[in-house]
Amino acid sequence: QGGIMPKKMKKSVGKSDEERQVHLQQRAQAEEELKKKKEETLGLFLKDKLQKEQRNTAVNLLKLHDGWRAILRQTRDAELRHDIIVLQQTFERTLDDLDSIIQVLRSSPVLT
């Protein structure tokens, strides 16, 4: 029986090496799959983040354009109000000039 024991030991040692080899291969394969999964997850995360950034950029650009348009409208409003005042004053001066001309013509001896 003493002679049989070492053979079993050799056989179990060999099996242990095979098992170790299989275990190492499985471990390497599992690590590779984990690495791929991490890369895939990171890729999806970055893709999602990029889409969110693009949406935020579009929204912020719309806000910026709206704000800019509001500023332009305010500026244009002030300019138009100033133009109206100038035109009103010019009209009143022209009207006064025409009234004066009419008064002069009425008092003129040619028409009487």
Side-chain angles (χ1 to χ4, degrees), residues 3-15:
I4 295 175
M5 197 60 132
K7 285 184 183 178
K8 282 188 178 178
M9 289 286 256
K10 281 185 179 178
K11 197 172 187 183
S12 71
V13 168
K15 216 173 195 181

Side-chain angles (χ1 to χ4, degrees), residues 37-94:
K37 205 140 182 98
K38 281 183 180 179
E39 288 175 359
E40 185 179 310
T41 302
L42 180 62
L44 290 173
F45 170 76
L46 291 175
K47 186 177 179 180
D48 184 54
K49 187 171 182 171
L50 177 64
Q51 287 175 344
K52 286 179 183 175
E53 283 298 319
Q54 288 172 333
R55 279 194 304 270
N56 288 340
T57 299
V59 167
N60 288 336
L61 196 56
L62 286 173
K63 288 179 183 177
L64 188 64
H65 282 268
D66 285 345
W68 179 244
R69 276 193 227 101
I71 291 170
L72 289 177
R73 277 194 301 271
Q74 286 175 345
T75 304
R76 189 70 178 137
D77 179 69
E79 290 172 355
L80 289 173
R81 287 180 187 280
H82 179 262
D83 289 349
I84 288 171
I85 290 170
V86 169
L87 289 171
Q88 186 176 9
Q89 290 170 349
T90 304
F91 175 77
E92 287 172 0
R93 270 196 312 275
T94 304

Side-chain angles (χ1 to χ4, degrees), residues 85-105:
I85 290 170
V86 169
L87 289 171
Q88 186 176 9
Q89 290 170 349
T90 304
F91 175 77
E92 287 172 0
R93 270 196 312 275
T94 304
L95 190 60
D96 287 345
D97 289 345
L98 289 173
D99 280 345
S100 296
I101 291 171
I102 290 171
Q103 290 301 324
V104 167
L105 289 173

Side-chain angles (χ1 to χ4, degrees), residues 14-29:
K15 216 173 195 181
S16 174
D17 285 343
E18 287 176 21
E19 288 174 354
R20 224 178 294 136
Q21 188 66 26
V22 168
H23 176 71
L24 288 174
Q25 287 175 347
Q26 288 174 343
R27 186 173 173 186
Q29 187 178 3

